[in-house]
């Protein structure tokens, strides 16, 4: 459906994408929390990357998955 949350796009901004990725690299560290924050920042940077096709809703779902994995003790959920 046009105009739905899933089709919403953000205007590309390569400089913003690069800045977010730079910050992600700086905060990445030895702790699982810093790795988690870095992963979320990197994923958000995809919104501004002209080579990526993603929506805020897709980013939200991906970040939610990152948080869920952390909550389960770092183990991805397995099917079957």
């Amino acid at each position: 459906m046009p105009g739905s949350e899933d089709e919403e796009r953000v205007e590309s901004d390569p400089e913003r994408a690069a800045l977010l990725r730079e910050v992600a690299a700086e905060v990445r560290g030895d702790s699982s929390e810093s790795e988690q924050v870095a992963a979320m920042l990197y994923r958000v940077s995809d919104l501004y990357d002209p080579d990526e096709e993603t929506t805020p809703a897709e980013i939200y779902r991906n970040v939610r998955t990152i948080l869920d994995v952390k909550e389960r003790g770092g183990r991805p959920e397995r099917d079957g």
Side-chain angles (χ1 to χ4, degrees), residues 34-72:
S34 63
E35 288 288 328
Q36 184 179 23
V37 169
M40 289 186 287
L41 285 170
Y42 198 90
R43 188 63 181 119
V44 169
S45 76
D46 288 345
L47 280 174
Y48 303 100
D49 187 331
D51 296 329
E52 295 288 336
E53 292 187 18
T54 191
T55 65
E58 291 169 330
I59 299 296
Y60 171 81
R61 286 189 295 269
N62 190 255
V63 168
R64 185 72 246 164
T65 298
I66 292 168
L67 294 171
D68 289 344
V69 167
K70 172 66 175 163
E71 189 174 298
R72 287 192 303 272

